[in-house]
């Protein structure tokens, strides 16, 4: 009976989605509903409406989390404020990365040599200080992106 199989599958998908919407953990939802993770991935791949329903659940959970984050920000929670600035205001300089812009004119940069230089903490600290001072000096200047190459350096913190 192919129709019965489809009906059972639809019932299992609905139960899985209900459980997932309560705890936002795919593995737990699979265990609670007896759905194999391989089956879940097949459903996601083959059933567009099921895949969209899962996406909607995930989006709604993220919306709740963002609302709670904003409540903390409005309440003056410093950690929440820092998190929001690090993740949403990178272009204003609030990221965990130091970004250095340099004009390059037909020069070749030896990446291995640069890595060796940057591994020295004294040089790294000097570059950080120089970059911060440079950023302060050029905050109001527009950068010509056609002639600038951006190099992102991640520092161990």
């Amino acid at each position: 009976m192919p129709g019965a199989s489809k009906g059972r599958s639809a019932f299992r998908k609905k139960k899985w989605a209900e459980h997932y919407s309560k705890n936002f953990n795919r593995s737990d939802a699979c265990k609670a509903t007896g759905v194999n993770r391989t089956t879940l991935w097949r459903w996601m791949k083959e059933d567009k409406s099921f895949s969209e329903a899962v996406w909607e659940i995930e989006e709604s959970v993220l919306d709740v989390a963002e609302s709670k984050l904003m409540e903390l920000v409005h309440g003056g929670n410093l950690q929440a404020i820092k998190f929001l600035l690090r993740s949403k205001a990178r272009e204003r300089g609030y990221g965990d990365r130091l970004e250095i812009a340099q004009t390059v004119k037909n020069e070749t940069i030896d990446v291995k040599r640069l890595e060796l230089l940057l591994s020295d903490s004294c040089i790294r600290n000097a570059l950080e200080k120089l970059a911060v001072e440079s950023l302060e000096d050029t905050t109001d200047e527009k950068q010509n992106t056609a002639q600038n190459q951006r190099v992102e350096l991640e520092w161990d913190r």
Side-chain angles (χ1 to χ4, degrees):
M1 296 196 145
S5 176
K6 283 187 179 185
R8 183 172 180 261
S9 181
F11 177 77
R12 291 176 67 206
K13 288 176 186 178
K14 182 179 178 185
K15 285 294 180 192
W16 185 91
E18 287 172 358
H19 195 280
Y20 183 56
S21 67
K22 292 177 186 170
N23 72 358
F24 197 56
N25 184 312
R26 289 182 181 190
S27 293
D28 285 350
C30 285
K31 287 176 188 171
T33 57
V35 173
N36 186 303
R37 287 183 61 86
T38 306
T39 302
L40 172 65
W41 290 111
R42 184 172 35 83
W43 288 348
M44 297 281 290
K45 183 180 177 183
E46 295 173 359
D47 186 343
K48 187 175 179 175
S49 64
F50 178 74
S51 181
E52 289 173 357
V54 171
W55 182 84
E56 286 293 332
I57 292 167
E58 292 170 351
E59 286 297 306
S60 68
V61 170
L62 293 175
D63 290 343
V64 169
E66 287 176 339
S67 295
K68 295 296 181 187
L69 174 63
M70 291 310 298
E71 286 177 18
L72 291 171
V73 168
H74 290 297
N77 182 305
L78 187 58
Q79 266 188 306
I81 293 168
K82 287 166 129 181
F83 176 80
L84 180 67
L85 290 173
R86 274 196 320 267
S87 53
K88 295 290 187 180
R90 288 180 186 271
E91 70 280 353
R92 294 184 182 182
Y94 290 103
D96 289 334
R97 297 176 184 171
L98 176 62
E99 191 175 286
I100 301 172
Q102 177 183 356
T103 302
V104 178
K105 295 180 183 176
N106 296 328
E107 295 178 17
T108 305
I109 298 173
D110 183 358
V111 176
K112 291 198 184 268
R113 185 165 184 267
L114 184 61
E115 287 175 357
L116 288 172
L117 288 172
L118 294 177
S119 66
D120 185 337
S121 63
C122 293
I123 294 173
R124 182 176 63 200
N125 292 338
L127 283 172
E128 282 180 330
K129 185 177 178 182
L130 179 64
V132 168
E133 290 172 359
S134 175
L135 288 173
E136 291 172 353
D137 292 342
T138 61
T139 353
D140 297 326
E141 296 177 11
K142 286 189 176 181
Q143 295 180 354
N144 185 344
T145 55
Q147 296 176 355
N148 289 331
Q149 177 186 28
R150 292 187 177 259
V151 179
E152 284 189 4
L153 303 173
E154 290 191 58
W155 306 116
D156 297 331
R157 299 237 181 237

